[in-house]
Amino acid sequence: MNMIEKQAELGKSLYEINQSVVSEMAELSRKNIEQYFEVNRSFGEKLPEIREIGSFMSLQREYGETLWNNAREAMDSQNAILQHAFTETRDAFQTAFAMEKAKEAPKKAAKKTAKADA
């Protein structure tokens, strides 16, 4: 595979990785927004039932914990997507440049042996 073909393949791989990451992040954002609205709706429905300050504080604490846990799960999901993208990108670059290094290595070895024979 010549240099132009390797670069074209690398560009194609990077485009596919980026496209995949953008679509996964958009899907994750959509799910997070839906989950956020669902949490707000469910806690909003509980507000009219509150008759004392203690139960209001308890509801607020539960609401905060729920939001925090959802945000943490969203960040973990985003991190997993990005780690996967970095791994795929690293592999694409290694594939694109590994063949070039493998071809150069025997040439360098041959030159060294020729000098040693002289």
Side-chain angles (χ1 to χ4, degrees):
M1 185 182 289
N2 67 23
M3 179 65 92
I4 295 172
E5 291 173 338
K6 285 193 279 186
Q7 293 302 316
E9 186 64 31
L10 177 61
K12 180 181 172 184
S13 296
L14 293 177
Y15 174 77
E16 290 171 354
I17 291 167
N18 288 338
Q19 183 181 15
S20 172
V21 167
V22 168
S23 66
E24 288 177 14
M25 292 295 266
E27 179 67 21
L28 182 63
S29 295
R30 183 189 62 77
K31 287 180 182 177
N32 289 338
I33 290 171
E34 287 175 357
Q35 188 177 31
Y36 176 75
F37 284 125
E38 177 62 30
V39 167
N40 284 333
R41 186 189 58 74
S42 70
F43 280 99
E45 290 173 353
K46 293 178 184 178
L47 279 175
E49 301 169 3
I50 295 177
R51 300 289 178 228
E52 57 187 42
I53 191 73
S55 59
F56 177 72
M57 296 300 286
S58 175
L59 184 65
Q60 277 295 104
R61 188 178 310 112
E62 184 182 345
Y63 176 73
E65 288 174 0
T66 302
L67 287 180
W68 176 255
N69 290 333
N70 291 345
R72 189 178 64 225
E73 289 173 9
M75 290 299 294
D76 290 342
S77 298
Q78 289 174 350
N79 286 338
I81 290 170
L82 293 176
Q83 285 176 345
H84 183 69
F86 282 125
T87 302
E88 286 182 345
T89 303
R90 183 192 64 216
D91 293 344
F93 274 101
Q94 285 177 344
T95 301
F97 295 109
M99 291 181 205
E100 187 175 296
K101 290 180 181 178
K103 290 179 183 178
E104 290 177 6
K107 290 179 185 177
K108 289 181 181 178
K111 289 179 182 178
K112 288 181 182 177
T113 57
K115 289 180 183 178
D117 291 338

